[in-house]
Amino acid sequence: MRQGYKDMKCGLLGEKLGHSFSPMIHGELADYSYVLVEKTPEQVEDFVRNGELDAYNVTVPYKKTVMPFLDVISPEALSIGAVNTVVRGKDGKKYGYNTDYFGFCYMLDASGIEVNGKKALVFGTGGASATVCAVLRDKGVKSLVVVSIENNTPEFLAAHADAEIIVNATPVGMYPHNGASPVKLSLFPDCVGVLDVIYNPSKTALLLEAEARGIAHANGLSMLVAQAAKAFEFFTGNTAEAGACEKIITSIEAQTKNIILVGMPGCGKTTVGKLIAKQLGRPFYDADDVFTEEFAISPAEVIQGEGEEKFRQMEHEIAEKLGKLSGAVISCGGGVVTREYNYHSLHQNGTIIFLERALENLSKKGRPLSQSTPIEQLYSARIDAYRRFADIVVASTEVPENTADLMIQKLFEGEKI
């Protein structure tokens, strides 16, 4: 972090900013204050003309809105038709820049996806789309097609089924509207690369589909960090430290990804999860407790009164709710893996850990399915799903504190065992 900017007032202008990682990123770049400024469209002009911030970023939907109220706009911002960085100069003038171009260049290079000579389909017509298109043209795409809301039709998409690069430059799928996607990748059999400028969730529905199909893909976190580093230069007149982007991306991913525990009933997920949350200073959620609070009935009561299938439907609602969180530790019910549709809900923003424990050490207390079905039968039916869901497998040490330490070690190593 660069020191010496404590007197500067910086921030982010937008309409809905609850999802933003920008304060964390700028907190890693420098010691200036960085606040979130939510304004309605009617309030934007007054803020730009009379606001007290020394410098600020601009996000959707105001990257074009702010432009008429600025005194000077940089050539690249004029060319793109969008401003995402505003600085109040010492001369009193308001200067507009676009650092998203630099950010998307960085994202594209970091992804390893080669676009030169390929056909690209870009979804969206706003400021982000204009930036993406400018970069893709400069990177040598063979042809470029922009898909608007109006022409996002089966007929139009069928005419471009030969697209090799798909880019989402819309907010479709962004928190809190997780699960939505601008298009199905099955329409593009030649697709070799998918880029989504959204960074929360870490894996949008579009990226989850790319992952499932084995297509190279990347989210927008690297773009966000790289554009912030460039904005820092305009804010302060100094360059970011060498390697700052890579360091901050790693740090933000570590802070914002959920840690999700799955495993057999009675394996100790809640106990170990609470220990991990305490060590890392994160909030802890037990999915069964959240279920009871949400529905005013316990999982056991639902299973006994309405059957397992009804419980699984309700459990999925909880998995979707918890899966949208960032930076939480979540203990799931033992059977969450028995429904494949829970995978995307949990995987979109988290690292899933399978806590494996010897069957003879599993607790059956208060667990109706464990009591009604032989534990060996449950284990046999679920073990493949546990391993399929898991990013990391950790065997219980039978000492919760030691198991928690082992999990944290594996998380930071990023090791799959």
Side-chain angles (χ1 to χ4, degrees):
M1 178 197 293
R2 287 287 183 91
Q3 305 289 326
Y5 305 106
K6 288 185 177 180
D7 293 334
M8 286 188 65
K9 297 177 182 178
C10 303
L12 174 66
L13 170 65
E15 189 171 28
K16 302 290 183 182
L17 299 175
H19 68 284
S20 179
F21 292 173
S22 290
M24 277 189 287
I25 294 170
H26 282 271
E28 301 251 7
L29 284 166
D31 60 352
Y32 44 66
S33 67
Y34 194 92
V35 298
L36 299 178
V37 181
E38 293 186 346
K39 297 292 182 182
T40 65
E42 297 76 22
Q43 295 172 320
V44 171
E45 179 178 359
D46 180 65
F47 174 80
V48 175
R49 295 190 186 280
N50 305 308
E52 296 182 354
L53 295 183
D54 299 307
Y56 54 92
N57 293 121
V58 183
T59 190
V60 292
Y62 299 141
K63 293 183 180 184
K64 294 184 178 182
T65 308
V66 300
M67 295 180 73
F69 315 126
L70 302 175
D71 300 303
V72 181
I73 299 176
S74 66
E76 77 278 358
L78 283 172
S79 174
I80 293 168
V83 163
N84 81 318
T85 300
V86 177
V87 178
R88 297 182 187 277
K90 293 181 180 179
D91 57 4
K93 292 182 179 180
K94 294 173 283 293
Y95 292 79
Y97 306 94
N98 189 301
T99 66
D100 281 336
Y101 182 96
F102 177 85
F104 189 69
C105 279
Y106 183 95
M107 173 183 172
L108 192 55
D109 291 344
S111 74
I113 296 171
E114 180 56 63
V115 300
N116 184 49
K118 294 184 171 63
K119 179 174 181 175
L121 222 59
V122 177
F123 287 80
T125 57
S129 173
T131 302
V132 166
C133 290
V135 172
L136 291 176
R137 290 189 187 98
D138 289 347
K139 292 285 188 178
V141 293
K142 178 177 65 177
S143 63
L144 180 62
V145 178
V146 175
V147 184
S148 66
I149 293 175
E150 292 75 22
N151 64 17
N152 190 348
T153 64
E155 296 76 19
F156 184 85
L157 296 177
H160 300 287
D162 58 340
E164 299 159 283
I165 304 295
I166 305 296
V167 185
N168 179 35
T170 79
V172 176
M174 184 171 71
Y175 175 88
H177 304 295
N178 306 44
S181 179
V183 72
K184 291 293 183 184
L185 294 178
S186 57
L187 299 174
F188 309 102
D190 298 328
C191 181
V192 295
V194 179
L195 299 147
D196 197 326
V197 300
I198 293 170
Y199 58 89
N200 185 9
S202 177
K203 291 185 184 294
T204 59
L206 183 67
L207 295 185
L208 287 167
E209 186 183 359
E211 182 179 68
R213 291 178 173 275
I215 301 172
H217 58 279
N219 70 16
L221 180 60
S222 58
M223 176 180 178
L224 180 72
V225 171
Q227 69 80 25
K230 194 68 174 178
F232 164 85
E233 296 182 11
F234 289 120
F235 285 7
T236 67
N238 291 312
T239 57
E241 296 174 352
C245 288
E246 294 84 352
K247 177 182 175 183
I248 293 171
I249 291 167
T250 300
S251 174
I252 298 300
E253 285 179 338
Q255 292 178 64
T256 58
K257 272 204 169 184
N258 296 321
I259 300 169
I260 300 170
L261 278 60
V262 300
M264 286 288 288
C267 70
K269 299 183 296 289
T270 296
T271 300
V272 172
K274 287 180 177 177
L275 290 168
I276 291 173
K278 184 176 180 180
Q279 284 195 48
L280 299 181
R282 297 188 178 204
F284 173 79
Y285 298 88
D286 182 291
D288 286 347
D289 289 344
V290 175
F291 182 105
T292 302
E293 183 178 341
E294 185 82 7
F295 298 117
I297 187 172
S298 72
E301 290 171 323
V302 174
I303 293 170
Q304 292 166 353
E306 301 184 61
E308 182 182 358
E309 190 54 42
K310 176 63 175 178
F311 164 67
R312 294 301 175 199
Q313 294 169 13
M314 297 167 70
E315 179 184 53
H316 179 58
E317 293 184 39
I318 301 304
E320 285 192 314
K321 179 178 180 176
L322 293 177
K324 290 182 179 182
L325 299 174
S326 294
V329 179
I330 301 165
S331 170
C332 295
V336 72
V337 299
T338 65
R339 301 298 185 270
E340 194 66 29
Y341 48 65
N342 288 322
Y343 176 72
H344 282 180
S345 300
L346 301 175
H347 179 62
Q348 65 177 333
N349 227 21
T351 299
I352 302 175
I353 303 176
F354 169 33
L355 176 56
E356 195 161 27
R357 191 179 187 190
L359 298 187
E360 62 268 20
N361 294 330
L362 298 177
S363 169
K364 297 182 182 180
K365 185 177 179 181
R367 307 177 194 281
L369 291 180
S370 298
Q371 293 170 355
S372 63
T373 307
I375 200 72
E376 295 80 8
Q377 184 178 328
L378 275 181
Y379 180 80
S380 178
R382 295 177 179 178
I383 182 58
D384 288 344
Y386 284 133
R387 294 191 177 278
R388 190 167 61 252
F389 270 51
D391 298 299
I392 299 171
V393 178
V394 173
S396 172
T397 67
E398 298 304 325
V399 178
E401 291 78 7
N402 292 347
T403 304
D405 289 342
L406 181 59
M407 282 191 180
I408 292 172
Q409 177 188 341
K410 296 300 181 187
L411 278 165
F412 283 104
E413 288 177 355
E415 182 177 343
K416 293 180 100 170
I417 58 174

